[in-house]
């Protein structure tokens, strides 16, 4: 994999790209403080946006939110191109081997509120990755300060807690940084036999 440093990526101009850029800059600093080495792939628009320690492929989504929006999840669609269908562009869910982990970066302005780092195997279990029949997988992240109303949303918040690192109260302790490091590196360890695990999981959820 050919990699380039963050400094090689010029600051974008439109607001969405600026948000992505700020989020990545903040995450870069945090990951380096954890003793990790993040890089960007040379080829943009791939299925992952970051490579950590030379082998852990992380797809990153940056979204703005605030602690005051307690009931709302941070949601987005996770998909890849499926070519054209009847002459029109189509999409499908990402494959289990497209990346190793999904990182959702939550910002309030230019301040980091939290990170969610979910391994690909968990996304497969939840039906958000791996289907060739679905056009996308909707990911909804419930941070610790959210108060979801439905039973299904509360269940989602419960299983996501193990993958969330909360920055809302300020700087992280050494224990928090170690936990963040472990979450990132676990994305690769949890998917060491992708072909066998993929087939088992897809059969289970088909």
């Amino acid at each position: 994999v050919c990699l380039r440093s963050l400094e090689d990526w010029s600051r974008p101009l439109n607001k969405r790209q600026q948000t992505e850029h700020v989020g990545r800059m903040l995450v870069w600093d945090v990951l380096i403080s954890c003793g990790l080495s993040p890089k960007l792939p040379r080829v943009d628009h791939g299925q992952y946006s970051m490579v950590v320690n030379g082998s852990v492929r992380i797809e990153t989504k940056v979204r703005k939110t605030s602690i005051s929006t307690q009931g709302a999840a941070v949601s987005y669609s996770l998909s890849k191109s499926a070519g054209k269908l009847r002459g029109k562009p189509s999409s499908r869910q990402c494959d289990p081997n497209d990346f190793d982990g999904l990182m959702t970066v939550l910002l309030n302005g230019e301040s980091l509120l939290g990170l969610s780092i979910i391994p690909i195997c968990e996304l497969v279990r939840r039906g958000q990755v791996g289907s060739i029949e679905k056009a996308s997988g909707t990911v909804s992240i419930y941070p610790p300060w959210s108060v979801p109303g439905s039973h299904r949303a509360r269940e989602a918040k419960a299983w996501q807690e193990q993958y969330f690192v909360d920055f809302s109260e300020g700087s992280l302790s050494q224990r928090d940084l170690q936990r963040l490091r472990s979450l990132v590196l676990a994305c690769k360890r949890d998917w060491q036999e992708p072909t066998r695990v993929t087939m088992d999981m897809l059969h289970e959820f088909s």
Side-chain angles (χ1 to χ4, degrees):
V1 178
C2 294
L3 305 176
R4 60 188 171 93
S5 66
L6 186 64
E7 289 75 19
D8 293 335
W9 193 39
S10 59
R11 189 174 180 86
L13 297 178
N14 69 52
K15 289 184 178 180
R16 182 186 63 80
Q17 291 175 333
Q18 287 177 8
T19 298
E20 292 279 346
H21 183 78
V22 169
R24 292 189 188 192
M25 290 286 289
L26 293 171
V27 167
W28 235 249
D29 289 342
V30 172
L31 293 181
I32 290 172
S33 69
C34 293
L36 298 172
S37 177
K39 296 286 184 181
L40 292 176
R42 279 197 184 276
V43 180
D44 293 330
H45 311 299
Q47 293 307 128
Y48 54 94
S49 51
M50 179 191 309
V51 180
V52 179
N53 285 17
S55 63
V56 187
R57 303 165 303 160
I58 301 293
E59 170 63 341
T60 307
K61 301 290 185 181
V62 182
R63 294 294 183 269
K64 285 191 172 182
T65 187
S66 68
I67 297 179
S68 61
T69 55
Q70 293 184 346
V74 176
S75 301
Y76 53 84
S77 178
L78 190 63
S79 64
K80 62 188 290 185
S81 173
K84 290 188 176 182
L85 180 63
R86 300 185 182 90
K88 297 182 179 180
S90 62
S91 62
R92 51 161 293 187
Q93 282 194 358
C94 294
D95 291 322
N97 294 322
D98 282 342
F99 52 89
D100 300 309
L102 177 64
M103 178 182 290
T104 306
V105 183
L106 303 185
L107 297 181
N108 183 8
E110 295 193 357
S111 297
L112 186 59
L113 286 181
L115 295 175
S116 171
I117 307 102
I118 303 176
I120 191 77
C121 57
E122 187 72 68
L123 296 173
V124 172
R125 289 191 189 100
R126 305 292 170 177
Q128 295 162 331
V129 166
S131 173
I132 61 174
E133 298 178 352
K134 296 180 181 179
S136 67
T138 299
V139 177
S140 297
I141 301 297
Y142 294 89
W145 55 85
S146 65
V147 186
S150 70
H151 176 70
R152 184 174 181 178
R154 289 193 294 271
E155 285 186 334
K157 179 182 178 180
W159 72 257
Q160 289 174 11
E161 286 180 355
Q162 62 186 310
Y163 301 119
F164 198 90
V165 181
D166 190 354
F167 287 73
S168 63
E169 295 185 0
S171 60
L172 298 182
S173 66
Q174 285 301 315
R175 182 177 180 180
D176 292 329
L177 291 174
Q178 182 59 45
R179 178 169 171 266
L180 175 56
R181 175 186 171 89
S182 297
L183 284 172
V184 173
L185 296 179
C187 291
K188 192 69 175 181
R189 291 196 300 270
D190 286 346
W191 202 251
Q192 290 185 358
E193 297 182 23
T195 303
R196 180 182 63 78
V197 178
T198 297
M199 296 306 296
D200 290 348
M201 288 183 175
L202 293 183
H203 177 72
E204 179 182 352
F205 287 91
S206 61

